[in-house]
Amino acid sequence: PPLLALLCLGAADRPNPDPDRDPDEPWCPYKVGGDGAAGARLCFRPPARGFQCSARGCRSHRSAGGALVANVLRNGSVLLQWGLRHWGPPPPRPSASLRGFALNCSWDGTYTRFPCDSVELGAACRDYLLAEAHGSVRYRLCLQPRYAPPRPAPPAQCVEFRVEPAAMRDIVVAMTAVGGSICVMLVFICLLVAYITENLMSP
């Protein structure tokens, strides 16, 4: 976490590969570590400023304290957003005391809960993209700020959600359309049989 805090302060000096992005805006440094994985790489990502979760292609899930929001997108990815004001009063010097954030992920299996990748994020980070989430799996993500001593770390805030598989949704829509067409055809067949029975066949 101290290294992430220092890198966060110097992230604005990195070259800007996105010409449409403000060069003075700090990048988000983060490090992903799996189950007992060593030597995780340090990565940088631009923040998703101004993102709005639309009702047609996104569903929002908020933690009990309101600090963490999981925006589940239609393509199966999840954009996490958070703010510090829901974790209590700010410290006198936020930039000097905030070291970063710790994100822990887990998901429910058939008989037990499995851990996902844990992520360490810099102090400038306010969002994180979970690019590939498994469909029909209930996720639980917990985020906790890390402060410099002597201030203790506040309790983590957690959010739970389930990602709807896009393939299954398309199959359900297709089956509904086919079933409706079959029902309409059966109605016409029944009407045709009734007409033939009543008018064309001899008594």
Side-chain angles (χ1 to χ4, degrees):
L3 177 61
L4 287 176
L6 293 176
L7 287 172
C8 176
L9 296 178
D13 298 332
R14 294 177 56 86
N16 185 12
D18 188 357
D20 298 329
R21 185 175 175 274
D22 187 2
D24 296 330
E25 188 177 20
W27 288 74
C28 169
Y30 68 96
K31 185 170 62 174
V32 181
D35 259 347
R41 293 189 308 167
L42 183 66
C43 304
F44 293 83
R45 63 179 300 271
R49 303 294 185 188
F51 174 81
Q52 297 292 333
C53 185
S54 61
R56 295 184 60 183
C58 176
R59 294 184 61 184
S60 294
H61 304 268
R62 188 177 294 272
S63 62
L68 181 61
V69 179
N71 301 298
V72 182
L73 305 178
R74 190 174 182 180
N75 60 2
S77 60
V78 181
L79 179 64
L80 302 174
Q81 294 176 310
W82 61 86
L84 287 175
R85 64 180 181 274
H86 297 282
W87 263 292
R93 298 175 59 193
S95 61
S97 58
L98 180 63
R99 294 290 182 88
F101 301 89
L103 178 66
N104 294 316
C105 170
S106 61
W107 57 276
D108 286 331
T110 306
Y111 300 104
T112 185
R113 180 178 289 271
F114 296 93
C116 314
D117 292 336
S118 59
V119 185
E120 296 180 9
L121 301 111
C125 300
R126 294 298 181 271
D127 55 53
Y128 178 74
L129 180 64
L130 186 64
E132 296 181 0
H134 298 284
S136 300
V137 173
R138 186 166 187 82
Y139 281 86
R140 177 179 174 85
L141 285 86
C142 296
L143 184 73
Q144 184 179 30
R146 298 288 179 86
Y147 288 95
R151 183 178 182 185
Q157 294 206 20
C158 302
V159 61
E160 295 187 2
F161 59 88
R162 185 182 301 272
V163 179
E164 181 182 357
M168 183 61 67
R169 181 177 56 248
D170 295 339
I171 291 175
V172 171
V173 172
M175 290 180 64
T176 303
V178 172
S181 301
I182 293 175
C183 291
V184 172
M185 291 177 61
L186 290 176
V187 170
F188 277 109
I189 291 174
C190 292
L191 293 176
L192 180 61
V193 170
Y195 175 80
I196 293 175
T197 303
E198 293 291 333
N199 297 283
L200 300 182
M201 294 183 66
S202 59

